[in-house]
Amino acid sequence: MNDIKDPKTALVGSIQKFSTEDGPGIRTTVFFKGCPLECLWCHNPELIDFRQQIIRMPASCIGCGYCIENCPEKAIYIDEEKKVDIDRDLCSGCMECVDICYADAIRPVAKAMTIDEILYEVEQDKTFYDNTGGGMTLSGGEMLSHFEFVDLLIDRAGERDIKVCLDTSGYGDGDHLEKLARKSNVERILYDMKAIDDEVHRKCTGHSNEIILENLIRLSDVPELSEKIQMRMPLVSGVNDNREMLERTADFYRKNGIKRVTLLPYHDLGISKQRNIGKEQKAFSPPSDGYVEEIKKLFQERGDMEVDILGKL
Amino acid sequence: MLNKRIQRMREKLWNTRPCITAERLVLATEAYKKFAGDAIPVFRAKVVNHIMENMTTLIMEDELIVGTATNKYRGANLHPEFQSSSWYISDIDEFPVRTKDPYDISPEDRDQILETLKYWEGKSMEDLSKTALPAHIEECIQDDIITVGLRNGVSGETTCDHEKLLTVGLKGYMEECEKNIAETICTCQEDQEKINYWEACIIQCKGLITYAHRMADEAEKQAKQCKDEKRKKELLTIAQNCRVVPENPPENFWQALQMVWFAHVYFHIEVCTTANGFGRFDQYMWPFYKKDVIDEKNLSEEEALELLECLYLKSCEVYEVRDKWYATSFAGYPMWEILVVGGQTRDGKDATNELSYVCLEAANQLKTTQPVMAVRVWDGTPEKLMRMGCKMIQEGQANPGFFNDYAAMKMTMGKGCTLEEARDWTIVGCIQPGPGGGATDGSPDAGYVNMGKMIEFVLHNGVDPDTGKLMGLQTGDPREFKDIEEFKDALKKQILHHYELVATGYRIMQSMHMTRYPVIFASMVTKGCVESGRSVQHGGAKYSTAGLFITGAANLADSIVAIEKCVFEDKDLTMDELIKAVDNNFEGQERIRQLLLNKPEKFGNDREHVDGVYREMMHFIADNVQQWPDARGGRFSFNVHSQTVNVSHGMVCGATPDGRLAGEPFCDNASPMMGRDVSGPTATVKSVASMGQGDFHDGALFNLRFDPKGVEGEKGLDSIEGVIKTYFKHGGEHIQINVVDDKTLKAAQKNPEHYKGLMVRVAGYMAYFTELDKSAQDTIIYRTTHFKQAEA
């Protein structure tokens, strides 16, 4: 597959309007493709790889077989559920099948978009932002990995009086992050915390959390940036919801003056997407509702924080 | 929250099936035989007067507001003057068992009905219309290409001038008529007709007063026998109320409510009417509420609320019996009794008052299908009122609907009124704004044109592929068309031609109504009629309009763009291949259907091009038809509005180039085609708002459905409000929001009795979901779900 070399474009998985769980008000979320972490439970696994990929959509497949006949590598076949599937070892990524699939059952994961193209879509909902205090959220994948692009995108949004939320894992260049965070139209930073324990973090994401914690401290040390921080914590039962670790997390937040946290109990929507790009994802389970409430209390009491719970199905 | 009395009354409502009764039919028939020979309006007035003198006086347990249109609770009248006795007779055993809007009939009523209907064979408006309309128009109606209104219903959709009614009482109207008669010296037929009309008004006023006095007698009789002191006192007050109103202006809030209800009962006894709205209720009732509740404290807030709820429950007791076709097309016993709150005063100030909130609260507590609440919104609307409405939406009540003052004012001014009258606009019909509270006769339903058929005619050079008959214009072989403009031109010719057929047919029907069934009472209480001595049928109302409707508006735009993209631009297939594919309902060609579905833009996704095509086509229709006069000197007005005729019209239409399969319903009203708006509700809202509704004099009806998850909590309220305000900012007139999920609806289908209170709005009215038949329920379940599961 081709790397997108042109810095004027970025690979965008989707632009989702009427997002109501990605910051204040009615928002439009831009999902960038590519993330340096590989969380076991990732719910957007098709946005991990920085390169273009093909995703199949079995529910849309009408079984016409046209793609099978036309695939130069003979990489496409019909699975036991009579839906199209791709042998990823044979696929050369030529995209021939994508062009001829009228049912949109085989699609590119992302689209290379210019800043103007993105802003056109985002600006369409400007009146909704004005009426509800909403705006644009940059998410992914990891938006920080597209620094040059988002740097400019945020400024151009500012010229149009559009407020921005950053949704980030914090795993990236600290200077970059701080530069984005300092922008006057960046109103909120949704900052992920997968695990405060480095060993757990490595197990879950394949990487150390050292940079993440460093970056978080760096932002929280600046009062006007600290105010913008909203922690987001995916909670996966038996993986990163250990009480002792969460207590440490709460203490850490408190020490660094962090005021808001959103709990995101695990859901399994990532599994089918992972399968549809030709990989398998392990199934996990969310903590019980009761335990999530306990965790909420823990952050409220021990961390003196505002806590909400989102992302439940 | 509801008090015990109202709870009992609502339980009774929910546990009683509507029924058809014989009484009005029998009395009207007697009167027809007795009074034949009088000038038509006088004759009609005497018929109604005879009913009022003899009908059962029914006062039921717990009632505080009294008066029924029939002799039984939840009873429906038959009107053989308008509707054909032939289907009354043929369907008589089907009414109780039919799936759509069933009615029970007792064995005694059944026998009486059959016996009495013998007199009416071939006499109804519906029977006469069959030979009155030119053969080609009749054939188009039979083939579901168009509809022509007034064939089996009353002409005139009026929202009464309640303010005058409450100020002068019927006494005032009678004096005015007498004075007019005294001052008129007949010099021509027209003068005599005026006198006849005024005389008829006087007779009808007397009829209603007689009925009220008979109700007073009944209340006194019941009071005498009543052992419960509290109820006894109530009955005596009811009796006293009935002696004061409707003859005299009401003296207090309770009497004012009773007066309003008497007028509404009468509308339904005189003719088989619908959509007699309550108008700007919080405005004309305000002086009475203020005096009793706020200034003199004769009534507590709770007592006033209870009385108001009694009126609301009354409004659930009126019906129009419909045949099978109309029961499908207007499912859920809708009566379009709209009650408007908020908005502006005539001098441009905010009109919201304490009663506005009480009106919403009563609806919030009752959760009945009538009256339908409408909140007028402008820049000065208090946040509290907006929030209260949004909260009701959030709870899944699908009530109130919201209306944009600015768009509605533009529409009403398009009808020729002054700025003051425009600010005083109210709904006449279900979403159609009429100038100056009570000054408009918005003759309903002049007719619908089936856009699917228009596409089929262009694709087949005028031939209806369903019947093989040449029904449309011969606009040429589409295979020879060079570009999409030629295709659009052909479509425009077909569309305009068929609206002309509707207008021609409608004028014929209007003329028949003028000479046979002038509506006396509803005209009298409409501004202009007493002054001019003419009924609304004769153009007596200050403003007269006739609504032209449309089915398949989004399918039309989507089909044009699909052909433009796939045939002319990208040449994925030829016109010939496209025609063959739709003719075969895409059998064996699902791939082609997927192409048409997925490649071209679809209306409802905030896409400039297709939204532009939609706008162009709607404006083409509106700009033309709104120039046309109707038979009484009014004008036709266009609205993007299908009710549920989209189901009936879709049923007879083959597959269309937008990928819709044969027989599938068309889009719902002004909404995108079901399932084609995939960009979320904000995009849908912007597309629908972008059609330039202000230029359609009767507006556009927009249903939007939210998943409850998308509107949870305080933030959800912000979202609902934000969506409404944004829709209005971009020019939308009306929006109604359903917040229910598919799971709830499916559960309701399986276990209806646990979901009796579950309401849905179906095209401008509300219905109990469980009272709809399965196909209508399925449509609602599959209607666009606007909250995509969060991807991140």
Side-chain angles (χ1 to χ4, degrees):
Chain A
M1 314 216 179
N2 305 323
D3 282 65
I4 298 293
K5 300 269 200 275
D6 183 358
K8 290 194 186 74
T9 64
L11 273 182
V12 173
S14 68
I15 296 182
Q16 186 185 295
K17 292 178 175 177
F18 197 62
S19 291
T20 52
E21 296 201 343
D22 295 326
I26 292 177
R27 311 193 71 81
T28 298
T29 304
V30 182
F31 293 93
F32 290 96
K33 185 156 162 54
C35 178
L37 302 180
E38 280 173 280
C39 303
L40 297 174
W41 57 77
C42 180
H43 64 183
N44 289 327
E46 79 282 14
L47 299 181
I48 294 177
D49 199 316
F50 281 88
R51 297 163 301 178
Q52 181 63 287
Q53 284 168 291
I54 296 172
I55 187 164
R56 67 172 195 134
M57 294 285 167
S60 300
C61 179
I62 57 168
C64 68
Y66 212 73
C67 52
I68 300 176
E69 286 166 35
N70 285 279
C71 174
E73 311 298 335
K74 304 278 169 238
I76 308 178
Y77 62 97
I78 294 287
D79 70 8
E80 55 274 20
E81 280 157 17
K82 302 219 166 86
K83 300 294 180 188
V84 67
D85 208 346
I86 302 165
D87 186 331
R88 303 282 168 170
D89 294 336
L90 294 178
C91 175
S92 70
C94 71
M95 297 279 162
E96 188 108 343
C97 53
V98 167
D99 294 335
I100 57 170
C101 179
Y102 287 171
D104 278 354
I106 302 179
R107 306 175 194 171
V109 163
K111 190 173 146 189
M113 294 183 82
T114 64
I115 285 175
D116 281 341
E117 284 167 342
I118 293 172
L119 279 177
Y120 174 79
E121 294 275 331
V122 171
E123 205 176 359
Q124 284 190 309
D125 278 7
K126 176 81 166 59
T127 328
F128 292 96
Y129 314 149
D130 294 346
N131 275 324
T132 62
M136 170 171 74
T137 297
L138 303 180
S139 182
E142 175 50 59
M143 66 93 204
L144 201 48
S145 305
H146 300 265
F147 170 71
E148 273 137 34
F149 190 87
V150 297
D151 184 33
L152 200 53
L153 175 62
I154 294 170
D155 288 345
R156 298 282 299 280
E159 289 161 17
R160 288 163 169 79
D161 197 23
I162 293 170
K163 297 257 186 341
V164 179
C165 284
L166 310 176
D167 182 3
T168 179
S169 66
Y171 193 83
D173 185 306
D175 292 342
H176 287 170
L177 180 59
E178 189 177 333
K179 188 177 178 210
L180 298 182
R182 282 186 179 276
K183 289 180 191 290
S184 62
N185 64 321
V186 168
E187 55 180 339
R188 196 70 67 91
I189 302 154
L190 311 174
Y191 202 112
D192 282 7
M193 174 61 67
K194 327 277 185 189
I196 201 153
D197 185 285
D198 197 40
E199 200 180 317
V200 177
H201 197 274
R202 281 170 195 274
K203 249 189 226 163
C204 293
T205 71
H207 296 269
S208 162
N209 67 9
E210 202 180 327
I211 299 171
I212 295 173
L213 297 183
E214 243 172 54
N215 284 339
L216 182 57
I217 292 167
R218 180 170 171 176
L219 293 185
S220 61
D221 278 350
V222 185
E224 69 263 33
L225 300 187
S226 179
E227 275 169 25
K228 297 182 180 181
I229 298 172
Q230 164 117 31
M231 299 307 299
R232 293 196 145 200
M233 301 179 63
L235 295 171
V236 185
S237 181
V239 179
N240 67 352
D241 68 342
N242 172 287
R243 189 169 174 101
E244 180 272 332
M245 185 174 78
L246 293 174
E247 282 170 3
R248 268 166 59 200
T249 313
D251 294 343
F252 177 81
Y253 289 166
R254 194 184 178 119
K255 189 173 147 215
N256 289 286
I258 287 163
K259 287 277 160 228
R260 286 183 299 257
V261 63
T262 299
L263 304 178
L264 301 163
Y266 168 82
H267 63 73
D268 62 6
L269 289 184
I271 295 178
S272 62
K273 287 205 269 183
Q274 184 76 278
R275 192 177 306 134
N276 291 333
I277 55 167
K279 291 174 189 160
E280 289 305 317
Q281 189 180 80
K282 203 180 152 205
F284 297 93
S285 49
S288 69
D289 287 351
Y291 187 45
V292 173
E293 282 302 322
E294 264 181 57
I295 298 171
K296 181 177 174 178
K297 230 174 170 180
L298 184 148
F299 281 97
Q300 281 171 333
E301 285 165 10
R302 192 174 176 121
D304 191 22
M305 304 180 72
E306 229 176 82
V307 188
D308 62 348
I309 303 164
L310 291 178
K312 285 176 77 171
L313 291 186
Chain B
M1 287 220 287
L2 287 178
N3 73 27
K4 288 268 154 43
R5 177 205 308 269
I6 304 294
Q7 274 182 32
R8 282 192 301 270
M9 290 173 81
R10 191 179 65 173
E11 273 307 297
K12 184 181 168 192
L13 175 78
W14 285 355
N15 291 323
T16 313
R17 276 231 304 194
C19 61
I20 291 171
T21 68
E23 191 177 75
R24 183 202 178 271
L25 171 67
V26 172
L27 290 171
T29 310
E30 280 171 16
Y32 256 73
K33 292 173 184 166
K34 201 168 158 188
F35 300 115
D38 263 313
I40 289 290
V42 175
F43 166 63
R44 283 290 299 168
K46 285 183 177 172
V47 169
V48 185
N49 191 37
H50 181 73
I51 298 169
M52 304 317 284
E53 282 172 352
N54 294 287
M55 72 180 285
T56 305
T57 47
L58 187 64
I59 296 176
M60 290 165 284
E61 218 176 309
D62 286 324
E63 283 193 323
L64 297 175
I65 305 293
V66 297
T68 54
T70 75
N71 56 319
K72 283 185 185 162
Y73 179 65
R74 284 199 97 175
N77 282 323
L78 295 180
H79 294 263
E81 306 99 303
F82 296 94
Q83 299 176 325
S84 176
S85 56
S86 64
W87 62 264
Y88 282 169
I89 295 169
S90 63
D91 292 1
I92 193 129
D93 293 320
E94 249 181 75
F95 286 119
V97 293
R98 69 182 191 184
T99 54
K100 294 180 170 94
D101 295 5
Y103 289 95
D104 286 332
I105 308 178
S106 75
E108 307 80 59
D109 280 316
R110 180 183 178 280
D111 292 347
Q112 250 186 324
I113 288 166
L114 290 176
E115 180 58 32
T116 314
L117 283 175
K118 285 178 189 161
Y119 171 82
W120 289 97
E121 192 184 343
K123 287 196 175 73
S124 73
M125 182 60 76
E126 191 174 5
D127 295 314
L128 297 171
S129 76
K130 287 191 178 122
T131 49
L133 294 181
H136 179 63
I137 294 182
E138 183 64 32
E139 201 175 351
C140 283
I141 296 169
Q142 293 311 322
D143 292 353
D144 276 327
I145 296 161
I146 59 172
T147 73
V148 172
L150 296 192
R151 282 153 44 88
N152 64 0
V154 69
S155 136
E157 209 161 80
T158 51
T159 295
C160 165
D161 180 1
H162 291 93
E163 196 180 319
K164 179 175 174 186
L165 180 70
L166 294 171
T167 309
V168 303
L170 294 187
K171 206 167 63 178
Y173 286 99
M174 287 196 287
E175 282 163 10
E176 200 179 336
C177 290
E178 277 156 11
K179 186 166 167 273
N180 289 346
I181 293 170
E183 286 172 357
T184 305
I185 298 161
C186 268
T187 56
C188 58
Q189 182 192 343
E190 210 178 283
D191 290 338
Q192 185 57 48
E193 281 174 352
K194 287 181 183 179
I195 291 174
N196 294 344
Y197 174 71
W198 288 319
E199 277 179 2
C201 288
I202 295 168
I203 297 169
Q204 289 232 358
C205 286
K206 286 181 180 159
L208 185 53
I209 293 166
T210 306
Y211 173 71
H213 290 172
R214 294 178 60 232
M215 289 297 278
D217 296 342
E218 173 67 24
E220 280 159 9
K221 194 178 109 200
Q222 288 194 15
K224 232 176 244 167
Q225 292 157 356
C226 184
K227 300 243 160 34
D228 175 0
E229 278 310 309
K230 187 172 167 256
R231 181 61 183 160
K232 188 181 210 126
K233 219 177 131 204
E234 285 170 5
L235 285 162
L236 290 173
T237 310
I238 289 169
Q240 202 207 332
N241 290 345
C242 295
R243 301 231 182 260
V244 175
V245 297
E247 185 173 1
N248 307 288
E251 290 156 6
N252 56 39
F253 184 68
W254 191 345
Q255 287 180 3
L257 292 171
Q258 180 62 62
M259 178 120 183
V260 169
W261 183 241
F262 270 139
H264 281 252
V265 170
Y266 208 48
F267 296 151
H268 293 278
I269 293 173
E270 185 180 353
V271 290
C272 53
T273 188
T274 58
N276 292 113
F278 287 103
R280 301 190 70 189
F281 190 88
D282 63 341
Q283 302 305 298
Y284 62 79
M285 288 298 291
W286 172 239
F288 299 96
Y289 185 86
K290 183 170 176 290
K291 176 173 166 281
D292 277 358
V293 181
I294 297 168
D295 297 341
E296 297 177 12
K297 302 200 172 14
N298 305 318
L299 268 182
S300 70
E301 271 172 49
E302 292 72 36
E303 285 167 328
L305 181 66
E306 182 183 47
L307 287 169
L308 187 60
E309 286 170 347
C310 282
L311 177 77
Y312 282 18
L313 285 164
K314 273 294 181 191
S315 75
C316 302
E317 286 180 33
V318 287
Y319 301 93
E320 181 198 28
V321 177
R322 301 185 177 103
D323 65 14
K324 279 176 263 182
W325 193 90
Y326 275 104
T328 303
S329 302
F330 300 155
Y333 307 102
M335 293 302 283
W336 298 284
E337 291 176 293
I338 320 267
L339 193 149
V340 182
V341 298
Q344 301 171 60
T345 57
R346 277 168 214 150
D347 55 356
K349 299 195 174 74
D350 185 58
T352 312
N353 55 45
E354 282 165 53
L355 183 58
S356 318
Y357 298 100
V358 178
C359 288
L360 274 189
E361 182 54 26
N364 180 37
Q365 290 189 7
L366 271 173
K367 300 177 179 58
T368 48
T369 51
Q370 303 291 335
V372 180
M373 305 303 292
V375 176
R376 277 178 50 172
V377 180
W378 74 300
D379 287 346
T381 299
E383 183 60 22
K384 189 179 156 199
L385 189 74
M386 196 70 203
R387 214 57 177 183
M388 191 169 176
C390 290
K391 249 194 165 122
M392 288 167 70
I393 296 295
Q394 185 181 45
E395 284 169 15
Q397 298 190 34
N399 194 25
F402 293 87
F403 289 80
N404 174 5
D405 253 10
Y406 302 103
M409 282 168 63
K410 187 168 181 219
M411 291 165 193
T412 46
M413 291 186 68
K415 291 175 177 176
C417 73
T418 65
L419 179 62
E420 281 73 29
E421 286 174 315
R423 287 194 189 115
D424 197 25
W425 74 270
T426 192
I427 295 161
V428 181
C430 62
I431 57 141
Q432 299 89 330
T440 311
D441 175 38
S443 201
D445 182 7
Y448 295 75
V449 176
N450 182 335
M451 288 304 125
K453 284 287 166 197
M454 300 304 107
I455 297 165
E456 289 194 320
F457 289 163
V458 173
L459 291 176
H460 301 89
N461 197 10
V463 174
D464 185 342
D466 192 33
T467 58
K469 294 185 292 189
L470 177 65
M471 293 297 290
L473 295 176
Q474 287 180 286
T475 41
D477 183 347
R479 296 166 190 83
E480 312 282 314
F481 291 171
K482 299 204 172 45
D483 54 28
I484 194 65
E485 290 308 318
E486 269 192 71
F487 188 87
K488 268 197 281 188
D489 285 345
L491 256 177
K492 286 176 180 173
K493 282 181 194 142
Q494 300 282 2
I495 291 169
L496 208 56
H497 171 68
H498 285 88
Y499 275 106
E500 277 165 359
L501 294 181
V502 172
T504 304
Y506 193 68
R507 290 191 196 103
I508 294 170
M509 292 311 305
Q510 282 188 306
S511 306
M512 289 179 70
H513 276 266
M514 277 183 208
T515 51
R516 286 169 185 274
Y517 299 119
V519 178
I520 314 296
F521 187 77
S523 296
M524 187 187 81
V525 291
T526 300
K527 266 186 203 134
C529 290
V530 175
E531 292 87 333
S532 65
R534 287 180 299 166
S535 71
V536 297
Q537 283 68 30
H538 292 86
K542 195 166 178 195
Y543 300 99
S544 301
T545 57
L548 285 168
F549 298 76
I550 185 168
T551 57
N555 304 91
L556 176 73
D558 289 350
S559 291
I560 292 170
V561 171
I563 291 172
E564 180 180 22
K565 180 81 181 160
C566 299
V567 175
F568 290 113
E569 274 178 27
D570 293 0
K571 299 188 172 33
D572 298 306
L573 73 171
T574 65
M575 186 69 86
D576 188 56
E577 286 166 334
L578 175 91
I579 294 168
K580 285 188 176 127
V582 291
D583 283 354
N584 294 326
N585 194 21
F586 299 110
E587 261 167 52
Q589 286 170 298
E590 180 58 22
R591 194 165 170 268
I592 299 286
R593 195 172 85 88
Q594 292 294 328
L595 171 77
L596 296 167
L597 279 175
N598 295 320
K599 190 174 188 183
E601 292 179 350
K602 294 284 182 291
F603 177 69
N605 297 286
D606 203 3
R607 292 287 160 243
E608 227 167 287
H609 181 62
V610 65
D611 293 357
V613 169
Y614 188 106
R615 184 165 56 239
E616 175 193 342
M617 297 308 284
M618 294 307 110
H619 278 260
F620 168 76
I621 300 169
D623 292 349
N624 280 284
V625 303
Q626 290 181 168
Q627 306 291 327
W628 301 343
D630 72 0
R632 73 208 146 131
R635 266 198 299 171
F636 287 100
S637 50
F638 179 63
N639 50 158
V640 183
H641 191 168
S642 68
Q643 291 294 344
T644 40
V645 180
N646 62 318
V647 176
S648 324
H649 274 181
M651 234 179 259
V652 297
C653 189
T656 37
D658 58 342
R660 176 192 144 278
L661 289 168
E664 277 186 344
F666 295 126
C667 61
D668 170 73
N669 292 286
S671 299
M673 178 61 180
M674 284 84 87
R676 306 285 156 79
D677 49 337
V678 292
S679 312
T682 57
T684 307
V685 157
K686 283 198 60 204
S687 282
V688 178
S690 77
M691 68 176 75
Q693 298 176 17
D695 296 325
F696 312 149
H697 293 167
D698 270 352
L701 193 157
F702 180 32
N703 291 313
L704 185 67
R705 216 184 104 203
F706 276 129
D707 185 295
K709 200 175 166 330
V711 292
E712 269 171 10
E714 271 306 299
K715 176 154 188 196
L717 283 176
D718 291 342
S719 296
I720 295 171
E721 193 175 328
V723 164
I724 294 168
K725 287 195 167 158
T726 305
Y727 182 61
F728 288 172
K729 182 143 196 208
H730 289 278
E733 178 222 358
H734 155 265
I735 183 168
Q736 52 195 34
I737 301 176
N738 285 317
V739 182
V740 271
D741 61 354
D742 299 351
K743 268 187 224 146
T744 312
L745 295 174
K746 281 177 191 157
Q749 258 186 333
K750 282 198 189 116
N751 195 355
E753 65 181 75
H754 289 174
Y755 294 90
K756 268 191 181 168
L758 180 64
M759 273 193 308
V760 282
R761 276 190 180 246
V762 190
Y765 57 87
M766 294 193 302
Y768 290 114
F769 180 80
T770 53
E771 284 187 353
L772 297 170
D773 91 317
K774 181 141 188 314
S775 65
Q777 288 178 348
D778 286 344
T779 310
I780 291 164
I781 290 174
Y782 292 116
R783 202 191 264 169
T784 334
T785 301
H786 274 278
F787 188 74
K788 277 169 55 181
Q789 291 287 9
E791 282 178 27

